[in-house]
Amino acid sequence: MSNKKDILYSLQRNISERYDMPDIDLLEGIVYPDPLEKFIEVSKAVGGDALVLKPEEDINEFIKTHYPEAKTIASNLREIEVATFNPDEVEDPHSLNGTDLAIVQGEIGVAENGCVWIPQNVKHKGIYFIAEYLVIVLDKTKVVNNMHEAYRQINFGEKGFGVFISGPSKTADIEQALVVGAHGAKGVTVILK
Amino acid sequence: MSTKHTKAAERFLSDKQQETWHNETLWFVREKRDRMAFSLPEWEDLREMANKIKMHTITHLDKYLDQFSEKAEANGVIVHWAKDAAEHNQIVLDILHGLNAKKMVKSKSMLTEECHLNDFLISHGIDVIESDLGERILQLKGEMPSHIVLPAIHLKRQQVGELFEDKLHTEKGNSDPTYLTRAARQHLRNEFLTADVGMTGCNFGVAETGDVVVCTNEGNADMGTSMPKVHIVSMGLEKIVPTVQSLGVFTRLLARSATGQPSTTYTSHFRKPVDGGQMHYIIVDNGRSDILGNKEHIQTLKCIRCGACMNTCPVYRRSGGFSYTYFIPGPIGINLGMLRHPKEYSDNVSACSLCYSCNNVCPVKIDLADQIYRWRQNLDSYGKADPLKKTMSAGLKFLFERPGLYNFALKFAPLVNHMPHFMVYNGLNEWGKGRELPRFAKESFTSMWKSGKVKPKK
Ligand code: SF4
């Protein structure tokens, strides 16, 4: 088997001219007059939904009315009283199969593409993907304009996994017809508070 | 002389309806890409930045791969190095054997296609399951992808319906895409839950952190790495970007260029193995370091495999991915095939009209058409030049070198407009096959200029 030394040597041998690294900070990313509004608009455009919870609205009531059919509801967030179980208490991620709805915490919203950054903040990352529907709770003051701003702020946490999620899982592999709900969530709602 | 490409293209063109659909659908994807590009005032700056970052990175790969692998190892990842496809495949098999693993679920990876990994593993008794819907369809059908991002773009829904009827026992005659996708979801959910190991490709490897980033719309890479405890990443050594900050430049370009989406649904960043599990990176050369030493073609190493050059290519759209003999079609595939084996894949260099559209859409600004042009100039050295085209070019050269005769010839060119069709589209005129000749202008530009019919703009 080859080793690192052989391969790095073969690269060195073939590099003749070395190019400089450009200054990324010179690139000006798009800035929106109202990033929150743009974030909501794009979240809808990518097949998801995003809305600002009014001060008088209760998040648990909201979830109950929007997901009346959800029976197994996973969340490790203290405020989510409608949760039927805490996914962090599940030993084996395979047992998460069959979850109707998961409610998780997001950290950063990105206006330009509707992405929400979620550093792994649950025991098994599988819960982000295996639940039939996903609700992401996000602080509405944490919406940035573009990915450059987002990458300046992201943190990873202990688990060593993080994901940007933009809308529900989708595919167009059959005749380019868009179908929502390929392997992951069939619907994603971002609740901004 | 027809190349393999023109012959295969003829077969594709014989199904007029399918050809029209293919052409229009890919053009629609190209238009979506344009809308995305135009929505960002900094689009061209982004492309230029991506180009520069990649040129810098590939010419410092020795340094960055060293940094990347050290960081990864510090994060608990096991890093392997493979100089070619055979080593890559053996490493995968050894990992699987070491774990006594029987079933591996895969997300889309062009590198594993390049290495023919699936056949190798299957021949050693491993159950390999492709999990991207398009790839799974092709695996069940026993076909290769015809596009790097839209692998099953050559199939109609009825064909998928019939396939699923047979393999997944779906309802007879039901070819509704939503119904079929749901059936695949159920079928693959079961595979995710019973796999021992998950394998993914890699869109980007971040040198400063040792992270691997994988972008999908379906979430299959995530499902495949969330249920099994072992994750194997197969990555070409050119996939490196220096920093997390530079990653932003590429994630902004990738989905917009590929499918006209502002982002893929999932942009997943893997840093450490899951608790109690394993993560392996296999860093593969397989000819890439040689390309680094090839000044004329070094830029192919910048490719982020977005597929935009295919969607825009008039030849690809009208001839389909299977008309190319290399497993990656379109402008980038023509070049990569030639770099792999010039004699074997030189048929593809004819599949280009030198319209340069690929150069203009490529998010990392690869000089795709220029490279194809250069291959053509050197075809003689592979003994593959087309004798007919050679005669035609020799004739043109003769004319170009004799301006008087050139002008004379041009004067009579409009006569072609009135020649009977059979004379223009005879057996000797290869271009007439599948192409209509452009109409020659009644008067050449030079003669219009001379007679004062062309007014210079004030
Ligand atoms: S060559 Fe450019 S346009 Fe073609 S797949 Fe690669 S990055 Fe995309």
Side-chain angles (χ1 to χ4, degrees):
Chain A
M1 282 297 151
S2 299
N3 57 36
K4 176 170 162 179
K5 234 178 70 202
D6 303 334
I7 287 180
L8 294 191
Y9 174 69
S10 127
L11 289 169
Q12 270 156 6
R13 218 171 19 121
N14 280 297
I15 295 172
S16 51
E17 190 183 348
R18 294 193 188 251
Y19 288 71
D20 289 337
M21 179 71 180
D23 183 354
I24 300 185
D25 292 334
L26 293 181
L27 188 85
E28 281 176 44
I30 193 162
V31 170
Y32 301 98
D34 184 347
L36 182 60
E37 190 189 303
K38 183 72 188 178
F39 175 80
I40 294 171
E41 177 198 320
V42 179
S43 298
K44 291 181 177 156
V46 297
D49 199 6
L51 48 99
V52 179
L53 204 66
K54 297 190 192 83
E56 69 275 12
E57 275 177 311
D58 175 62
I59 191 163
N60 289 294
E61 281 307 314
F62 178 89
I63 292 167
K64 262 196 264 176
T65 43
H66 280 79
Y67 298 95
E69 276 156 36
K71 294 211 167 49
T72 46
I73 304 179
S75 187
N76 66 354
L77 305 178
R78 192 172 299 156
E79 62 174 330
I80 305 300
E81 292 150 7
V82 287
T84 58
F85 73 103
N86 180 349
D88 291 354
E89 287 162 8
V90 171
E91 247 342 283
D92 180 356
H94 293 80
S95 326
L96 298 171
N97 192 32
T99 304
D100 294 326
L101 174 68
I103 299 124
V104 301
Q105 184 71 46
E107 293 295 332
I108 303 165
V110 188
E112 69 162 324
N113 56 16
C115 278
V116 182
W117 172 249
I118 308 176
Q120 187 174 346
N121 49 20
V122 290
K123 183 181 168 83
H124 305 291
K125 62 186 160 79
I127 194 65
Y128 303 131
F129 314 107
I130 206 168
E132 297 290 303
Y133 291 89
L134 186 68
V135 167
I136 306 173
V137 183
L138 180 67
D139 178 342
K140 65 174 186 289
T141 65
K142 298 269 183 67
V143 175
V144 299
N145 287 290
N146 55 55
M147 291 300 274
H148 308 299
E149 292 177 15
Y151 275 119
R152 251 175 242 133
Q153 295 182 18
I154 63 166
N155 70 311
F156 251 77
E158 267 312 289
K159 296 273 187 189
F161 175 82
V163 58
F164 282 106
I165 298 183
S166 166
S169 152
K170 52 184 90 69
T171 183
D173 274 345
I174 301 174
E175 252 190 35
Q176 279 296 291
L178 179 69
V179 180
V180 165
H183 299 298
K186 293 177 187 160
V188 173
T189 303
V190 181
I191 300 183
L192 297 138
K193 333 196 290 164
Chain B
M1 184 176 82
S2 298
T3 60
K4 284 182 195 153
H5 180 272
T6 48
K7 281 182 200 142
E10 230 169 83
R11 283 195 293 278
F12 184 81
L13 288 165
S14 65
D15 184 349
K16 193 72 198 142
Q17 215 183 341
Q18 170 70 356
E19 183 244 316
T20 305
W21 181 85
H22 190 267
N23 175 32
E24 285 170 359
T25 304
L26 289 169
W27 185 250
F28 179 66
V29 180
R30 156 75 210 260
E31 284 176 327
K32 282 206 296 183
R33 171 259 173 217
D34 288 351
R35 277 199 289 280
M36 279 296 145
F38 298 151
S39 72
L40 292 180
E42 70 271 32
W43 182 256
E44 288 305 317
D45 297 337
L46 259 180
R47 288 179 68 219
E48 185 54 30
M49 188 61 81
N51 162 43
K52 286 190 173 141
I53 296 172
K54 277 283 179 184
M55 275 320 279
H56 164 75
T57 317
I58 59 175
T59 57
H60 291 78
L61 267 180
D62 50 343
K63 172 186 138 197
Y64 285 128
L65 278 170
D66 188 33
Q67 187 188 13
F68 174 74
S69 59
E70 299 222 324
K71 283 281 169 191
E73 279 166 356
N75 292 335
V77 177
I78 303 165
V79 181
H80 311 259
W81 303 81
K83 74 167 187 303
D84 56 21
E87 284 194 358
H88 166 265
N89 295 349
Q90 192 58 47
I91 292 168
V92 179
L93 186 64
D94 290 347
I95 297 171
L96 296 176
H97 277 163
L99 296 160
N100 201 15
K102 300 274 179 295
K103 187 192 279 193
M104 182 170 87
V105 63
K106 274 183 72 202
S107 76
K108 204 164 153 305
S109 144
M110 292 316 288
L111 176 59
T112 57
E113 299 274 355
E114 179 183 318
C115 296
H116 303 287
L117 175 71
N118 291 10
D119 290 345
F120 173 80
L121 291 181
I122 291 165
S123 75
H124 284 82
I126 305 286
D127 195 3
V128 184
I129 311 285
E130 291 288 350
S131 63
D132 171 84
L133 175 59
E135 292 282 344
R136 184 65 181 148
I137 291 169
L138 297 178
Q139 191 183 27
L140 291 173
K141 214 166 180 306
E143 280 183 9
M144 296 275 292
S146 70
H147 186 293
I148 61 173
V149 173
L150 320 167
I153 189 75
H154 59 286
L155 293 177
K156 301 299 291 176
R157 64 180 69 187
Q158 288 77 11
Q159 293 170 281
V160 180
E162 281 159 25
L163 177 75
F164 279 16
E165 229 175 273
D166 180 29
K167 307 275 181 181
L168 307 183
H169 311 295
T170 52
E171 278 167 34
K172 209 170 159 43
N174 194 340
S175 56
D176 174 61
T178 304
Y179 170 74
L180 296 175
T181 302
R182 288 285 181 272
R185 176 186 173 97
Q186 219 172 26
H187 154 71
L188 284 163
R189 178 65 62 99
N190 188 46
E191 302 290 0
F192 289 125
L193 291 168
T194 53
D196 303 306
V197 170
M199 173 178 248
T200 67
C202 159
N203 290 95
F204 310 102
V206 187
E208 72 172 350
T209 56
D211 299 350
V212 153
V213 178
V214 181
C215 307
T216 76
N217 276 324
E218 298 185 3
N220 54 321
D222 293 294
M223 281 300 293
T225 54
S226 294
M227 296 298 128
K229 277 195 172 296
V230 181
H231 177 187
I232 304 177
V233 179
S234 178
M235 65 183 285
L237 52 72
E238 82 284 16
K239 294 289 176 189
I240 299 288
V241 297
T243 55
V244 172
Q245 203 51 46
S246 46
L247 190 56
V249 173
F250 296 97
T251 54
R252 294 189 77 200
L253 285 164
L254 179 62
R256 287 186 170 100
S257 300
T259 52
Q261 295 170 259
S263 166
T264 48
T265 299
Y266 303 99
T267 307
S268 305
H269 301 57
F270 299 90
R271 180 168 292 178
K272 296 179 186 171
V274 298
D275 290 336
Q278 290 179 12
M279 187 141 95
H280 296 262
Y281 293 172
I282 309 175
I283 301 175
V284 185
D285 185 335
N286 204 29
R288 286 163 177 76
S289 56
D290 291 334
I291 299 178
L292 202 51
N294 181 338
K295 275 214 161 90
E296 292 202 336
H297 299 283
I298 182 173
Q299 291 200 36
T300 53
L301 289 174
K302 296 188 297 185
C303 178
I304 57 171
R305 302 286 192 270
C306 72
C309 56
M310 286 154 216
N311 304 340
T312 203
C313 177
V315 181
Y316 175 86
R317 278 186 279 115
R318 293 194 181 80
S319 61
F322 290 154
S323 61
Y324 300 75
T325 54
Y326 193 56
F327 80 105
I328 298 180
I332 184 65
I334 295 174
N335 286 305
L336 291 174
M338 287 301 279
L339 286 162
R340 171 74 50 211
H341 200 313
K343 206 156 188 161
E344 198 172 329
Y345 298 114
S346 64
D347 286 284
N348 300 324
V349 301
S350 68
C352 169
S353 63
L354 290 179
C355 73
Y356 276 69
S357 179
C358 48
N359 282 31
N360 292 323
V361 298
C362 176
V364 288
K365 291 191 160 183
I366 299 177
D367 55 345
L368 293 154
D370 302 87
Q371 293 191 32
I372 297 172
Y373 176 78
R374 287 197 286 272
W375 289 120
R376 287 190 187 170
Q377 300 315 297
N378 296 328
L379 271 189
D380 255 349
S381 58
Y382 314 113
K384 281 285 200 169
D386 181 335
L388 180 63
K389 289 217 177 103
K390 253 171 94 179
T391 318
M392 278 162 51
S393 339
L396 280 178
K397 187 160 176 273
F398 182 79
L399 278 180
F400 284 142
E401 283 167 358
R402 289 162 185 79
L405 195 56
Y406 174 74
N407 285 331
F408 175 81
L410 217 55
K411 221 183 228 149
F412 290 98
L415 279 181
V416 174
N417 294 341
H418 307 292
M419 275 193 217
H421 197 263
F422 75 88
M423 277 181 76
V424 183
Y425 296 90
N426 62 23
L428 271 175
N429 185 353
E430 289 275 329
W431 270 72
K433 290 182 184 164
R435 304 181 184 110
E436 285 286 315
L437 270 183
R439 282 187 70 81
F440 285 99
K442 285 214 180 68
E443 210 174 348
S444 76
F445 179 79
T446 316
S447 86
M448 283 170 78
W449 177 264
K450 281 193 179 148
S451 57
K453 285 185 194 159
V454 183
K455 296 267 176 295
K457 239 185 171 171
K458 290 265 155 54

